Amino acid sequence: MNRNDPGSGFWTLLHPHTGDLTHFQPTSRGFSSDVTALVECEKGRFFVKAVRNRPGGRRDSIRRERLINPAVCPISPAMRWHAEDDTWYALGFDWVDARGSDFAPESADLPAIVDILNRIGELDVPETARDWPETRWDRFAVDEADVSHFRGEALLHTDIHPSNLLIGDRGTWAVDWSWPTRGAAFIDPACLVVQLISAGHSAESAESWASRCAAWTDADPKAIDAFAVATLRMHRAFAERKPHALWLGAMVEAAQLWASHRGVAVRAVP
């Protein structure tokens, strides 16, 4: 099996939902999935993502995406079906005609990007997400007082980057809800800040765009400082594990620029 040919068993599993296949186009995004593709078939057009049906993080992630989808439409394309057997766990979504957004400093997409984050911030936390507290930054925080800043009752996307915020002539969408959580509302705009800096913004410019998000303006500056520290420590730890991953190094640099802009001191992770 490879991303270009999932194999006959995969298509047998999907056939009740797709009918006969007419076109299969693998996509470049979705690196945490074994299959991501645009599919044209007898029953319509779908974006399909699938992972091997094995216990662990990737299966847990795609299951969360299935469960959260009713609560995040129409910000996210609707999931129309899911299929599962001993080998595969697959989701089929509406195919939207859109492209990844541009985070560059002069991009005309920036107002739409902020609008998407504000729309995410207006979503209610569904019952299914009550047991999904945001904890990924906890071990990189300086102390328990900083950890407490990350708690909250907002539904978070947490994977804010250009390929997950889609822009088309007929709308904008936040896709790939692979690990939604419940936490402090400012976290998604804070994730945007680091991504904007990585795309070429100054830290001041990045924060000025984040300040157009209600969740950012309502946040305690001390909470944002704590998150900036935890974010830099997290990216440093990840980059140390994979020193040849250039994108991780770029995230360290962006997070360092942000922490320096906020004037926070960052110790090494113990």
Side-chain angles (χ1 to χ4, degrees):
M1 192 283 296
N2 59 56
R3 292 174 70 89
N4 294 318
D5 182 13
S8 60
F10 180 81
W11 297 114
T12 298
L13 173 65
L14 268 55
H15 192 269
H17 307 285
T18 63
D20 292 341
L21 180 71
T22 57
H23 184 66
F24 170 69
Q25 178 185 339
T27 66
S28 58
R29 65 184 180 87
F31 295 109
S32 62
S33 300
D34 292 304
V35 176
T36 55
L38 301 175
V39 172
E40 295 185 61
C41 54
E42 184 180 354
K43 296 189 179 183
R45 302 194 299 176
F46 302 102
F47 173 74
V48 174
K49 67 185 303 184
V51 300
R52 291 289 187 173
N53 195 356
R54 298 166 181 158
R58 294 205 300 169
R59 185 189 183 281
D60 292 345
S61 176
I62 201 170
R63 182 176 179 273
R64 280 198 185 200
E65 188 164 5
R66 175 176 69 83
L67 294 173
I68 202 67
N69 185 259
V72 300
C73 292
I75 293 175
S76 175
M79 188 192 72
R80 297 303 179 184
W81 49 263
H82 89 278
E84 180 180 1
D85 64 11
D86 290 341
T87 303
W88 290 102
Y89 197 112
L91 308 180
F93 297 89
D94 282 343
W95 178 346
V96 295
D97 186 10
R99 57 171 174 80
S101 52
D102 181 357
F103 279 24
E106 303 303 324
S107 171
D109 293 347
L110 293 170
I113 291 165
V114 170
D115 179 65
I116 296 173
L117 263 67
N118 277 321
R119 290 164 63 200
I120 293 173
E122 293 169 358
L123 294 171
D124 294 327
V125 178
E127 192 61 34
T128 191
R130 288 291 169 188
D131 294 330
W132 299 345
E134 179 51 67
T135 61
R136 280 167 291 181
W137 282 268
D138 289 9
R139 68 188 180 95
F140 301 105
V142 172
D143 52 36
E144 288 300 316
D146 280 2
V147 167
S148 68
H149 288 305
F150 309 155
R151 300 293 178 258
E153 294 301 321
L155 179 64
L156 304 175
H157 183 286
T158 71
D159 194 11
I160 304 298
H161 62 75
S163 65
N164 283 346
L165 304 181
L166 305 184
I167 297 178
D169 292 337
R170 297 187 179 183
T172 56
W173 297 269
V175 301
D176 199 7
W177 289 78
S178 296
W179 210 256
T181 56
R182 175 177 57 82
F186 76 87
I187 288 178
D188 275 346
C191 291
L192 174 66
V193 167
V194 181
Q195 290 288 333
L196 291 177
I197 295 172
S198 183
H201 290 254
S202 66
E204 182 178 9
S205 170
E207 286 199 348
S208 74
W209 283 104
S211 71
R212 303 187 188 197
C213 296
W216 178 275
T217 57
D218 292 341
D220 182 345
K222 291 182 180 178
I224 298 175
D225 288 346
F227 190 79
V229 169
T231 296
L232 176 53
R233 297 175 90 194
M234 179 179 71
H235 287 306
R236 281 178 176 172
F238 291 167
E240 287 172 3
R241 292 178 198 163
K242 297 182 178 180
H244 300 298
L246 297 181
W247 73 272
L248 287 174
M251 296 310 298
V252 171
E253 183 178 352
Q256 179 65 71
L257 288 170
W258 186 32
S260 298
H261 170 74
R262 295 198 65 84
V264 293
V266 182
R267 300 195 303 270
V269 179

